[in-house]
Amino acid sequence: MSRDGRALIDGVTVEVGRSDRIIALIGPNGAGKSLLIRMLAGLVAPDEGQVIWGGGPPQSARMRRIGFVFQRPVMMRRSALDNILYALKLAGHAAVDATERAHAELEQVGLSAITHTFARNLSGGEQQRVALARALVLSPEVLFLDEATTNLDPASTAMIESRVKEAAAAGMHVLLVTQDLAQARRLSDTIILMHRGRIVEEGPAEEFFKMPGTETGRRFVAGELLV
């Protein structure tokens, strides 16, 4: 993927859906993390190469098996509950089943008391929890999180992390873009470090944080600015 002669994503290969449940995609600003995750989710088409889902190209049926939570939650002009019910309706769930599932998911993210509150009147942390509930209520095979806890209050961050870990423990695969190394250490099984549109290091999270295998990794973990 290039723009104006500059390679934004260069020679990257990523596989999601192996034994590792949570992959953290880390790196400095401008490394290409958000662009890569959008390409994998089918939101941006690559200039070269391809994205393969289940052995074939992305198709609408496959794309319905993913969930995506952005850094800035997009709320419809409806209540918190109706935001989730709308997603279930589009997926073809019957009204009674959809209502039960929506209430249960809101309870899972600690929002059962605000189900009928206008979603856009909620705090940023509450809106992001609604967005996570809306993604998880469809039981996707893969959940993409693009800096989903950036600038959130500690309680919302803890709730989101807890729910993501529960989903992963239940069998969901998670690809997490984060600038928070402590969060990556808490959540991930695997670390992918990107810099200048390339993957410079990939491996088990525990090993990466104990002893990065590259100079770039050592500098990044030490808090040095990568340019």
Side-chain angles (χ1 to χ4, degrees), residues 64-221:
R64 286 197 293 270
R65 292 170 6 213
I66 72 170
F68 204 115
V69 181
F70 299 90
Q71 180 177 345
R72 295 181 179 179
V74 179
M75 295 288 102
M76 302 176 63
R77 296 180 180 274
R78 305 181 182 202
S79 69
L81 178 64
D82 285 337
N83 266 265
I84 298 173
L85 287 174
Y86 184 74
L88 287 163
K89 179 181 178 181
L90 289 180
H93 288 265
V96 174
D97 173 64
T99 300
E100 292 178 355
R101 290 174 65 121
H103 277 290
E105 194 58 54
L106 282 169
E107 185 175 1
Q108 290 271 38
V109 295
L111 295 179
S112 56
I114 56 89
T115 56
H116 297 294
T117 302
F118 191 59
R120 295 189 179 184
N121 290 339
L122 299 174
S123 70
E126 289 169 336
Q127 288 189 23
Q128 196 66 303
R129 281 188 269 167
V130 171
L132 178 64
R134 187 171 55 195
L136 290 179
V137 77
L138 299 177
S139 300
E141 294 178 14
V142 181
L143 176 65
F144 294 97
L145 302 169
D146 189 6
E147 301 200 36
T149 61
T150 299
N151 299 323
L152 296 190
D153 60 278
S156 291
T157 296
M159 180 63 73
I160 287 171
E161 289 186 0
S162 175
R163 189 68 189 98
V164 168
K165 286 191 289 186
E166 289 173 357
M172 191 175 299
H173 295 282
V174 180
L175 182 58
L176 165 75
V177 171
T178 182
Q179 296 277 12
D180 185 344
L181 292 184
Q183 181 178 73
R185 189 192 296 263
R186 287 192 299 269
L187 295 182
S188 64
D189 305 301
T190 298
I191 291 290
I192 297 177
L193 173 63
M194 289 190 69
H195 183 41
R196 297 178 179 174
R198 288 179 171 270
I199 292 176
V200 296
E201 188 163 352
E202 179 177 0
E206 184 176 356
E207 294 180 12
F208 174 81
F209 285 110
K210 184 181 297 182
M211 185 176 294
T214 64
E215 179 62 23
T216 300
R218 288 189 286 272
R219 291 176 57 205
F220 189 70
V221 170

